[in-house]
Amino acid sequence: MPQKGNKQPIPKRLDAVEDYMKERIGLHESFDFGVRKLVVLHKNVHIYYTNGLCDTKTVIDTLREIVRLKNGETLSAKISEAIKNRIPHQSVETVETLDEAVDQILSGLIALFVENEGKGIVVDTRKYPGRQPEEPDTEKVVRGSRDGYVENIVVNTALTRRRIRDERLRFENFKVGERSKTDVVIGYLKDVANPELVAIIRKEIKGIQIDGITMADKTVEEFLVKQGYNPFPLVRYTERPDVAATHLLEGHVLIFVDTSPSVIIAPTTYFHHVQHAEEYRESASVGTLIRWARFIGILISVFLIPLWLLFVLEPDLLPDSIDYIGPEKKSHVPVILQIFLADLGIELLRIAAIHTPTPLSTAMGIIAAVLIGEIAVDVGLFMSEVILYVSLAAIGTFATPSYELSVANKIARLVLALLVTIFKVPGLVIGSTVLLIFLASIRSLDTPYLWPFIPFNPRAFMQILFRRSVPGSKIRPDIVRPRNRYKQPV
């Protein structure tokens, strides 16, 4: 671990400040870090800045006000106080140490030092490079808002506050990473969120000791829930402000990480990962239909391949009405190997689609469908039914709203298929039971992962199966232990 910067007081001599900046952050070595030297009322003033992170117009307006300072404004105050009063900006603060000033400069603020005064002024002139809010690719809806979170944490909190204009909405800021000093913000409703949950998340974030979190929210998640090699997601990600705001109103806590367009929702259960904003943009009946179709797709993605493989290995289990299921002739390649190869091929195609330029993606799809799919069946590498059922399972995987959950379900599917190959019927039964027990044993931030199924809560489970209309949903979910249970007056 690198040593933290000394909490060195700001010296009164500006040449000492300049020497510190040269030694600490490479003044005159790094081209993007600079200093502007002025003389104001016969006193030297140094202004330090980082190119590319500052808004040029705000910096020019600040300099203009400083050089216009008159003698009469400093009769009863120091020059630094007069400068602070003249700067036309809503965020102007005083710093007492060079270490704090350096952190602010590297975050995009400018720092002003006046000769013989021993303190500095920082002005928030940040303007980070980034894109405009747009609809997330992974959470599209037919009807609904088209804005989405971006890589700027200030924009993200603003998009959230725009939807919840409540004076009890809180955003607490932390800096994480000894070198990266990344801004991490937790958001919650003070009169709704469980204080113990907020305290746990606050403690975990403060306790992160690492050089930097350049991988942003995923790094924070690994420190927060300590997932290890468990493939099932323990927090939910979203890039939609409306989804995040809805969870805030239910009593969840949001975690924003600068440079990431995704927001962490905590705590979450398995069933949080199978819901989508589209269900709440339609009527209750249509939303329920969409939800059931999605549930069927998720079940297909996990159990279709193991079940079909069991019927292939044990054809006597098939009822006479569906005895046509299964290959008509033997294959030289074991069925389980075909399944693994086909799943690997689909995964490779997904990876290739991510890295393939858009104009070439259509050609790649044709190659995959015609050359690889049909020819592989013709030469006997795959049976046609293997391609069919693996494709259906892949469709169920793509229908899963949470990408992390879809990958975890794929791992579960392959493990079940392997157990069926080795143990036949006992493999499917025992494997499914172990999977259920494993999911029931998971606790994310002291939250049962399969709630409201295990432990069973009839009222909440019915809300999982049936999308209720908003006027009929007056109580917040018990799982987050909200301070205020009622969404509406009762």
Side-chain angles (χ1 to χ4, degrees):
M1 285 291 294
Q3 295 298 321
K4 292 187 177 182
N6 297 324
K7 298 295 182 179
Q8 179 176 338
I10 296 175
K12 294 186 176 182
R13 294 171 46 248
L14 293 187
D15 56 350
V17 175
E18 186 172 2
D19 291 340
Y20 182 90
M21 296 297 179
K22 289 179 181 179
E23 179 183 353
R24 179 78 187 278
I25 52 180
L27 179 64
H28 305 317
E29 292 181 15
S30 298
F31 79 94
D32 59 340
F33 184 76
V35 59
R36 183 77 163 88
K37 300 179 180 180
L38 303 174
V39 177
V40 178
L41 299 179
H42 309 293
K43 280 197 173 185
N44 293 321
V45 176
H46 286 189
I47 303 172
Y48 294 89
Y49 58 88
T50 303
N51 270 324
L53 301 181
C54 300
D55 180 22
T56 302
K57 184 179 183 302
T58 305
V59 175
I60 292 175
D61 291 342
T62 301
L63 293 176
R64 182 181 295 116
E65 292 299 323
I66 292 174
V67 299
R68 288 178 178 175
L69 200 63
K70 299 178 181 178
N71 281 321
E73 298 180 59
T74 61
L75 292 177
S76 58
K78 295 182 177 180
I79 293 179
S80 60
E81 292 298 326
I83 290 176
K84 187 175 179 180
N85 294 333
R86 286 294 299 268
I87 294 177
H89 198 277
Q90 76 275 14
S91 181
V92 182
E93 297 180 356
T94 301
V95 292
E96 303 290 342
T97 65
L98 285 173
D99 187 72
E100 185 180 0
V102 167
D103 288 348
Q104 300 286 31
I105 295 168
L106 295 177
S107 297
L109 290 76
I110 62 173
L112 299 89
F113 302 95
V114 181
E115 185 180 10
N116 294 326
E117 295 205 358
K119 60 181 177 179
I121 300 172
V122 292
V123 184
D124 191 349
T125 58
R126 286 176 287 192
K127 187 178 182 182
Y128 295 155
R131 57 189 174 91
Q132 293 298 312
E134 57 189 20
E135 186 175 19
D137 290 334
T138 57
E139 297 179 86
K140 291 182 179 291
V141 294
V142 176
R143 300 188 185 278
S145 61
R146 303 297 176 188
D147 59 345
Y149 288 129
V150 295
E151 289 73 17
N152 189 325
I153 195 171
V154 178
V155 174
N156 293 345
T157 54
L159 288 172
T160 307
R161 193 173 284 279
R162 181 183 180 188
R163 286 167 168 80
I164 302 181
R165 303 174 184 178
D166 188 354
E167 68 276 9
R168 291 156 291 193
L169 176 59
R170 298 290 185 267
F171 289 121
E172 297 183 16
N173 185 35
F174 308 90
K175 286 193 181 296
V176 178
E178 180 60 31
R179 296 184 186 273
S180 68
K181 297 180 176 63
T182 306
D183 289 313
V184 178
V185 169
I186 61 173
Y188 59 93
L189 286 170
K190 189 173 183 180
D191 66 324
V192 175
N194 181 9
E196 295 180 2
L197 172 64
V198 176
I200 290 173
I201 294 177
R202 185 188 295 121
K203 178 183 177 181
E204 292 293 337
I205 292 177
K206 286 183 177 180
I208 296 176
Q209 299 291 331
I210 193 172
D211 274 6
I213 54 171
T214 51
M215 289 300 169
D217 46 9
K218 186 59 184 176
T219 305
V220 173
E221 178 204 342
E222 291 182 358
F223 276 99
L224 185 64
V225 297
K226 301 172 179 61
Q227 184 172 0
Y229 285 96
N230 174 14
F232 288 92
L234 303 184
V235 298
R236 181 181 178 183
Y237 289 94
T238 184
E239 295 183 35
R240 296 188 61 90
D242 51 358
V243 172
T246 300
H247 283 81
L248 273 178
L249 293 173
E250 290 183 350
H252 294 264
V253 176
L254 303 183
I255 303 174
F256 302 80
V257 183
D258 196 27
T259 73
S260 173
S262 300
V263 168
I264 296 175
I265 302 172
T268 54
T269 67
Y270 184 94
F271 297 102
H272 281 103
H273 297 277
V274 300
Q275 298 179 8
H276 193 271
E278 182 70 19
E279 302 165 9
Y280 297 91
R281 293 290 183 174
E282 305 289 348
S283 64
S285 57
V286 175
T288 299
L289 175 63
I290 295 173
R291 183 174 293 184
W292 284 3
R294 185 172 290 113
F295 286 167
I296 292 173
I298 294 172
L299 290 174
I300 287 174
S301 71
V302 177
F303 294 106
L304 179 64
I305 292 293
L307 192 60
W308 174 78
L309 181 59
L310 178 63
F311 289 147
V312 171
L313 299 176
E314 298 283 349
D316 295 339
L317 297 174
L318 278 170
D320 293 338
S321 57
I322 56 172
D323 60 358
Y324 54 83
I325 292 178
E328 295 181 357
K329 57 182 180 179
K330 295 287 185 178
S331 173
H332 297 292
V333 181
V335 179
I336 184 63
L337 182 58
Q338 294 183 39
I339 291 172
F340 272 75
L341 289 175
D343 248 323
L344 177 62
I346 291 177
E347 187 66 18
L348 289 175
L349 288 174
R350 183 193 67 81
I351 296 171
I354 294 174
H355 302 298
T356 302
T358 303
L360 300 178
S361 58
T362 303
M364 188 195 69
I366 296 173
I367 293 173
V370 178
L371 298 183
I372 298 178
E374 293 187 10
I375 295 177
V377 172
D378 292 340
V379 301
L381 180 61
F382 292 112
M383 294 184 297
S384 56
E385 281 194 68
V386 170
I387 300 297
L388 170 64
Y389 290 111
V390 170
S391 299
L392 288 174
I395 292 174
T397 298
F398 297 146
T400 306
S402 168
Y403 170 73
E404 293 81 9
L405 180 61
S406 68
V407 176
N409 286 341
K410 176 181 289 190
I411 295 174
R413 175 175 76 234
L414 294 177
V415 171
L416 287 177
L418 191 61
L419 291 174
V420 167
T421 303
I422 300 173
F423 302 107
K424 308 297 190 300
V425 174
L428 180 61
V429 174
I430 295 175
S432 300
T433 303
V434 170
L435 175 62
L436 182 63
I437 294 174
F438 173 70
L439 292 176
S441 66
I442 296 174
R443 299 184 71 87
S444 172
L445 295 174
D446 201 29
T447 301
Y449 197 54
L450 286 186
W451 184 91
F453 180 56
I454 300 175
F456 189 64
N457 184 318
R459 183 171 184 172
F461 191 66
M462 291 302 294
Q463 291 194 14
I464 294 294
L465 295 179
F466 300 92
R467 206 286 263 184
R468 298 188 64 180
S469 61
V470 174
S473 179
K474 297 183 179 181
I475 299 179
R476 294 184 172 90
D478 294 335
I479 195 62
V480 293
R481 297 186 288 275
R483 299 176 67 181
N484 182 354
R485 292 189 61 207
Y486 297 99
K487 298 181 181 179
Q488 306 169 22
V490 293

